[in-house]
């Protein structure tokens, strides 16, 4: 599908905005963490090559653990925050992958939308990290919801840490995240 979109963007002389995953990012890039990370990595490679070969205009936005209204809360594509919300509503223990110290940058959907629009308007054939710029341990996030925690076994492809370096997005796009995860959780618990 990405190949067809790249061809279409070329034919229309329009900028392609690709939503990539932060899953593979870290101290060293690991595209082989999962089939999902691998396919997203190969799509990024394809887009960058199309730019070299045919002068495709593009921006790549790397998203970090998106949360917010209408997020997926169950199944294999569920987000951490969505799972915790679902478990909290059902008064269940929150399932935390061992050891719970793994850190994540959680980004509100409103900030993702704003970052994507900025990529479309100001992006310059580069990759931009769209996150909050703050990393929280999964255990700390779970405890903000509830003290009832249930540890589950480590899963294959689990990344230990991830935090968005916002310097390029701030400098070139003017991106500034506005939402805070801990405030979001407090508001969720009140409703």
């Amino acid at each position: 599908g990405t190949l067809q979109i790249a061809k279409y963007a070329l034919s229309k002389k329009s900028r392609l905005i690709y939503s990539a995953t932060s899953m593979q990012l870290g101290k060293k890039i690991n595209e082989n963490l999962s089939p999902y990370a691998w396919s997203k990595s190969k799509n990024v490679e394809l887009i960058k090559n199309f730019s070299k070969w045919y002068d495709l205009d593009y921006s790549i936005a790397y998203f970090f653990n998106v949360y917010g209204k209408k997020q997926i809360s169950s199944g294999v594509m569920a987000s951490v925050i969505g799972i915790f919300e679902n478990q909290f509503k059902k008064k269940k223990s929150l399932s935390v992958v061992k050891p719970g110290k793994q850190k994540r940058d959680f980004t509100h959907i409103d900030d993702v939308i704003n970052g994507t629009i900025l990529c479309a308007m100001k992006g310059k054939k580069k990759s931009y990290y769209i996150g909050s710029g703050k990393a929280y341990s999964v255990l700390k996030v779970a405890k903000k919801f509830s003290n009832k925690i249930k540890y589950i076994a480590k899963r294959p492809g689990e990344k230990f840490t991830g935090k968005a370096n916002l310097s390029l997005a701030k400098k070139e796009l003017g991106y500034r995240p506005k939402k805070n995860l801990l405030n979001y959780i407090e508001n969720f618990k009140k409703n």
Side-chain angles (χ1 to χ4, degrees), residues 81-101:
I81 303 303
I83 291 168
F84 287 170
E85 284 181 357
N86 189 29
Q87 291 170 333
F88 178 83
K89 284 180 198 172
K90 293 179 177 178
K91 299 184 187 323
K92 292 183 174 183
S93 294
L94 276 62
S95 53
V96 174
V97 175
K98 288 180 182 178
K101 294 180 182 178

Side-chain angles (χ1 to χ4, degrees), residues 2-133:
T2 303
L3 173 62
Q4 298 309 315
I5 297 293
K7 287 179 180 178
Y8 183 78
L10 271 174
S11 73
K12 298 296 180 183
K13 296 184 173 132
S14 62
R15 178 174 294 149
L16 172 64
I17 311 302
Y18 184 73
S19 59
T21 179
S22 64
M23 184 179 196
Q24 71 198 34
L25 303 173
K27 288 184 181 173
K28 67 176 200 171
I29 291 178
N30 185 356
E31 64 186 30
N32 297 313
L33 279 173
S34 69
Y36 174 74
W38 180 86
S39 65
K40 293 293 252 181
S41 173
K42 293 305 166 193
N43 286 337
V44 166
E45 192 177 322
L46 174 71
I47 290 164
K48 287 180 177 181
N49 281 331
F50 254 64
S51 181
K52 289 176 194 167
W53 299 331
Y54 308 112
D55 199 30
L56 173 68
D57 189 10
Y58 74 91
S59 287
I60 296 171
Y62 282 91
F63 300 144
F64 289 73
N65 298 285
V66 180
Y67 69 92
K69 193 174 180 180
K70 297 186 180 184
Q71 65 194 320
I72 301 170
S73 61
S74 62
V76 295
M77 295 304 290
S79 69
V80 173
I81 303 303
I83 291 168
F84 287 170
E85 284 181 357
N86 189 29
Q87 291 170 333
F88 178 83
K89 284 180 198 172
K90 293 179 177 178
K91 299 184 187 323
K92 292 183 174 183
S93 294
L94 276 62
S95 53
V96 174
V97 175
K98 288 180 182 178
K101 294 180 182 178
Q102 49 279 47
K103 290 190 171 186
R104 301 282 183 271
D105 185 323
F106 295 93
T107 316
H108 193 275
I109 187 62
D110 291 352
D111 289 328
V112 168
I113 291 167
N114 180 47
T116 304
I117 291 168
L118 289 168
C119 281
M121 293 170 47
K122 300 179 180 182
K124 301 175 183 174
K125 294 187 180 183
K126 292 181 185 172
S127 297
Y128 301 95
Y129 293 174
I130 306 299
S132 72

